[in-house]
Amino acid sequence: MAEVLRIAIQKSGRLSEKSLEIIKNCGIKFGSDARVLKERASNFPLEFLYVRDDDIPGYIRDGVADIGIVGRNEYDEQAIDLEVLRDLGFAKCRLSIAVPIDFPYTGLASLEGKRIATSYPHILGGILAEQGIRATFIQVSGSVEVTPQVGIADAICDLVSTGATLAMNGLREVEAIYTSTAVMIGRKNMGSEEKENILSRLELRIDAVMRASSYKYVLFNLPEEHLDQVARIVGGMKSPTVTRLMETGWVSVQTVVAEDTFWDVFEQLKALGAQGILVTPIEKMTE
Ligand code: PRT
Ligand code: ZN
């Protein structure tokens, strides 16, 4: 029987939707019905397992799944020896130390001898040990942010994205010790050449989807006399495509611009007299 690659995806939570979206954008068709435990893609040898994120690294180690998508925090905390195949960039957050407003914090050394509530004793322990700081960890799996109020911890170490949860609980973020994004992880040895091949095909598609999402396709009209400055500004993949317009002295330019430089480029093009700037997303992009 032909082999399938098994991917473990968080059943319901912060990672679920975006994980499935990336795979959909790879042209892989499936139902993404969160009520089932597993399902098979109809046009690619991929099987989905919908599980709790905490279970994903262990399932991969044990061969229940071949690859999976989890927060890097979860992967590092469990310290299971797998391979990080791709950084998917979403679900960005940081692991931070936070203290009650009146805690006199001057640096990690202020935590010496304190009780710190966290779900990340392994990551935190490593960082404190590096600095020679000893503290007591109060291991909790949820509602870490209420522990100082109820008197069971002096400080906390938890994931933060907007900081709203900390503020709501009268806590002050004093130190970000670690940053995380969603990563695709897998066993170091898939155990079969066929699975390795399926994984390579999937990775190729993921790379194209990821590259596309970090670029925009840009079209605009420009006085021809400023054309020589455009290549310098946009620095596209190759030189931009230029088409002559009916109106003399004007050209139409098409190019690809990195998302993070887009507004800079936009302003510089405007300053050169560009008109009718049209920006569209790119669905897939290969090298
Ligand atoms: O049920 P299951 O076990 O599958 O899910 P879960 O509840 O364990 O995980 P989930 O869905 O909450 O988070 C999955 C992953 O999302 C985490 O492992 C992180 O990699 C990533 N992520 C990104 C976050 C956050 N941002 C985040 N803000 N995970 C948790 N939070 C929590 C944080 O713990 C705190 O309680 O959100 C609160 C803080 O948010 P702000 O915006 O108020 O700062
Ligand atoms: Zn979890």
Side-chain angles (χ1 to χ4, degrees), residues 157-188:
C157 174
D158 197 15
L159 295 178
V160 180
S161 53
T162 61
T165 306
L166 294 182
M168 225 155 54
N169 287 281
L171 296 169
R172 183 164 61 98
E173 183 180 2
V174 288
E175 195 118 33
I177 60 165
Y178 173 95
T179 56
S180 176
T181 47
V183 288
M184 187 165 92
I185 53 175
R187 243 190 337 277
K188 287 194 165 142

Side-chain angles (χ1 to χ4, degrees), residues 96-115:
S96 288
I97 305 286
V99 296
I101 307 291
D102 57 3
F103 185 112
Y105 187 90
T106 53
L108 283 177
S110 304
L111 300 173
E112 177 70 36
K114 301 292 187 209
R115 298 164 304 164

